[in-house]
Amino acid sequence: MVVLFEQKHDVGGQWLFDPDVEKEDPLGATKFMEVHSSIYNSLRLLSPREIMGYTDFPFLVKEGLGRDTRRFPGHRELWLYLKEFSVHFGVRELIRFNTRVEYVGMLEGNGDVNDVDYDLSIDRVERNGEVVEEVFDAVVVGNGQYSYPQLPSIKGMKTWKRKQMHSHVYRVPQPFQNQVVVMVGNSLSAQDISMELAGVAKEVHISSRSQKNFMEGFSKVISKHEKLHLRPQIESLEEDGRVLFVDGSFVVADAILYCTGYKYSFPFLDTKGLVTVDDNRVGPLYHHTFPPLLAPSLSFVGIPRKIIAFPFFESQGKWVAQVLSGKRKLPSPDDMMRSVQEFYRQREADGIPKHETHDIIQFEYADKYADKTGFPHLEEWRKKMCLVALDNSDVHLETYRDSWDDEELLQEALQSPHFTQHIGPIIIST
C-alpha cells in the first residue's frame, strides 16, 4: 500500500499558488509553515516548457479558456500540468489531502536500524485538527526545498521597526507603492521582483555581497530604470529606519525584502541524529537520496538543486521504488557511507562550500544517477535547450521568455519520441 500525505487541498506542492499570506510569519519564524508555496502572482517559468516534462508525460501546449500557450508560461500552467499528470496516472487516488504530518519517528524494534517501522502522527485538517497515528514500513520524504526562508544575520535586524519580509510571502507589488525598498540578494527571482517593484515603488535598492555576480541582462535593466540602484552588503539596520551599507552609504527605507533563498527543513522528522541539516547540507545521504544507516526504509526525493528538476526527481522516485520493491539492492551501509565521504571530499577539493552540497549543475551526474535505475539519459536537445535558455536570460533578462533563437532545437524536441508518444485525452476540473 502506498499513501501520499498532502497538507494542502490539491496537488502541485510549490506550484499550487496560495495568495493568502497574511497567516504566515513574514520572516518564516515558525516551526511549521502555514504557506507552503513561494510563488508570486506574476511568476513565469525560468525554463522553456519543453525541457520540464516527465519522461512519459510531455508538457504539451493546451488550447482552451484560461490556458497559457507560451513557451515560458505562468505558474498556473505548470500546476495544471501536474494536476493532469496526477489524473492520468491515478495518483490522486493515493493522496490524503488536507493532511499535515506532524511527526515521523522510528518505532522501537529489534535494534536493526535497517529494518524499522515508522510511526507517523498525522494532523487531519478537515477533521478539526484531529491527530491520528499510523505505522508504515518505509517513509519517503518529499516536502520540497523552497518553503523555509534562509535569512542573513544583520546587526540590528531584530530591533528594526519597519517592514521586513522574505520573498516567500511576496505576491504582488502594490503594498510597496511609493515606498523606498531595500532588496537583499540577487537571484533570478530577486531580479524579477525588483523589476516589478520598479513600477510602483519610489526607489528600489538591491544589496548584494558581490556586484561582480550581476549578469549582463540585469545590468542592462538597472541602467534603464532610474528607480533601481545597486548597493553593497548591509552593515547594519538602525532604529530610525536607516539601512547602512559597508561602503558607508545609507538609505532610509520603508521596507526590506529578503530574497536570500531557502533552507532545507524537516520539522516533522526525528531520526535520533542519524540525518541532520548542517549549513544546508542534508546528510549523510547516499547520492542525495538514501541515509546509509536508515536505508532503505527512509529516503529523500527532491533534495538536489540546479538540475532539470522533473526528470531528475522522476529518476529518484524510480530508484526508491525499485529498492523498496526488492528489484534493486543498495550497497552495504559502510560502502554507502564511504561513497558519501568521498563525495564530500571531492566537493571540498573543488572549492564548493558546504551549503552548496546539493547543487548538482552537471548533466553528467544526472546521467550517472539515471544508470542506477535503468532510467534514460537526458536527451541532448533537452540539455542544449536548457543551456541556451540560461545564456539568453543572462544577456536579455527582460525579453528572453518571449524572444529566443533556438528554433532548430525546438523542432528537434517536438519531433523526438518524448513528444510524439501518445497520451490519451485528459479531462480535469480547473
Side-chain angles (χ1 to χ4, degrees):
M1 177 183 71
V2 176
V3 180
L4 287 81
F5 295 101
E6 170 54 54
Q7 63 181 337
K8 298 303 180 182
H9 65 281
D10 208 340
V11 299
Q14 190 62 227
W15 299 98
L16 180 60
F17 179 65
D18 187 351
D20 183 15
V21 295
E22 297 302 320
K23 57 193 175 187
E24 187 68 272
D25 183 281
L27 294 176
T30 55
K31 179 180 179 181
F32 288 98
M33 303 296 290
E34 293 297 325
V35 177
H36 179 74
S37 174
S38 299
I39 299 295
Y40 45 93
N41 190 54
S42 65
L43 184 141
R44 291 175 63 184
L45 303 190
L46 300 176
S47 303
R49 68 165 73 225
E50 294 84 21
I51 74 171
M52 297 191 65
Y54 294 116
T55 58
D56 51 2
F57 198 76
F59 189 5
L60 301 170
V61 172
K62 297 291 183 70
E63 303 285 349
L65 184 64
R67 300 307 296 252
D68 189 340
T69 60
R70 295 174 295 181
R71 285 192 71 194
F72 295 77
H75 57 82
R76 183 175 182 272
E77 191 66 19
L78 185 51
W79 170 67
L80 289 174
Y81 165 79
L82 293 172
K83 194 167 184 177
E84 290 165 353
F85 178 92
S86 71
V87 171
H88 183 75
F89 291 103
V91 177
R92 296 184 71 87
E93 301 166 8
L94 307 175
I95 304 175
R96 298 184 192 175
F97 292 107
N98 297 308
T99 304
R100 183 170 69 191
V101 175
E102 300 274 354
Y103 176 82
V104 176
M106 295 175 286
L107 287 177
E108 297 293 333
N110 57 14
D112 182 358
V113 295
N114 296 298
D115 183 20
V116 298
D117 291 331
Y118 286 89
D119 179 28
L120 277 71
S121 294
I122 303 159
D123 179 5
R124 296 299 298 271
V125 176
E126 75 274 21
R127 293 182 183 173
N128 298 317
E130 176 189 357
V131 176
V132 298
E133 291 190 4
E134 297 184 41
V135 176
F136 292 86
D137 297 310
V139 170
V140 182
V141 178
N143 64 325
Q145 51 179 267
Y146 296 111
S147 293
Y148 287 84
Q150 179 78 52
L151 291 168
S153 177
I154 300 175
K155 180 182 177 182
M157 189 172 171
K158 292 183 178 179
T159 57
W160 205 70
K161 303 299 184 183
R162 302 188 181 190
K163 183 192 300 183
Q164 295 186 79
M165 59 184 281
H166 191 273
S167 58
H168 170 64
V169 293
Y170 173 86
R171 292 298 181 266
V172 293
Q174 282 71 28
F176 299 91
Q177 185 79 37
N178 296 322
Q179 292 187 356
V180 176
V181 181
V182 172
M183 294 186 63
V184 183
N186 67 344
S187 64
L188 278 174
S189 61
Q191 295 171 16
D192 263 357
I193 293 171
S194 68
M195 290 188 289
E196 190 167 69
L197 287 178
V200 299
K202 182 178 180 181
E203 299 172 10
V204 179
H205 299 265
I206 303 149
S207 169
S208 176
R209 282 178 294 185
S210 174
Q211 297 184 12
K212 295 179 181 179
N213 295 330
F214 287 109
M215 298 300 181
E216 179 183 345
F218 194 49
S219 298
K220 291 178 182 177
V221 170
I222 292 173
S223 66
K224 288 171 54 179
H225 291 272
E226 60 180 20
K227 292 183 180 180
L228 295 179
H229 308 274
L230 284 184
R231 294 284 187 173
Q233 191 170 354
I234 295 175
E235 176 72 30
S236 65
L237 307 180
E238 304 298 317
E239 292 189 24
D240 61 2
R242 286 180 300 155
V243 177
L244 295 145
F245 302 100
V246 293
D247 64 353
S249 64
F250 72 89
V251 295
V252 178
D254 298 296
I256 299 175
L257 180 58
Y258 297 99
C259 300
T260 46
Y262 297 86
K263 61 186 178 183
Y264 298 101
S265 182
F266 313 99
F268 52 85
L269 185 60
D270 179 8
T271 66
K272 308 302 181 186
L274 295 178
V275 178
T276 62
V277 181
D278 178 19
D279 193 15
N280 230 24
R281 170 188 284 174
V282 184
L285 293 182
Y286 179 60
H287 288 288
H288 312 276
T289 307
F290 290 102
L293 295 180
L294 295 173
S297 58
L298 181 66
S299 57
F300 294 76
V301 170
I303 296 292
R305 294 174 169 172
K306 295 188 178 179
I307 51 169
I308 303 179
F310 286 13
F312 189 91
F313 298 157
E314 181 183 355
S315 68
Q316 274 195 301
K318 290 192 174 183
W319 189 23
V320 170
Q322 289 172 359
V323 170
L324 291 179
S325 64
K327 294 180 179 178
R328 290 186 185 267
K329 292 188 178 297
L330 293 170
S332 70
D334 287 344
D335 286 345
M336 285 193 284
M337 191 66 80
R338 279 192 287 270
S339 175
V340 172
Q341 295 302 327
E342 176 56 34
F343 175 72
Y344 290 167
R345 283 193 291 270
Q346 187 60 55
R347 300 290 273 187
E348 184 177 354
D350 292 340
I352 299 172
K354 181 186 286 189
H355 67 268
E356 295 179 5
T357 294
H358 305 294
D359 291 3
I360 302 302
I361 301 175
Q362 297 177 336
F363 293 131
E364 291 80 4
Y365 180 85
D367 287 341
K368 289 180 181 178
Y369 189 100
D371 289 339
K372 297 182 179 302
T373 65
F375 194 76
H377 288 189
L378 288 171
E379 305 93 334
E380 288 304 311
W381 61 259
R382 201 186 292 248
K383 297 175 183 176
K384 293 176 183 177
M385 195 176 284
C386 175
L387 295 175
V388 168
L390 287 172
D391 290 343
N392 199 13
S393 68
D394 286 347
V395 180
H396 306 291
L397 182 62
E398 286 187 291
T399 60
Y400 81 96
R401 292 182 178 95
D402 296 306
S403 178
W404 54 87
D405 57 1
D406 62 345
E407 187 62 31
E408 289 186 9
L409 275 177
L410 177 58
Q411 292 308 313
E412 181 183 348
L414 296 179
Q415 294 168 22
S416 70
H418 175 68
F419 278 96
T420 56
Q421 62 184 301
H422 176 70
I423 302 295
I426 301 166
I427 300 174
I428 66 170
S429 172
T430 59

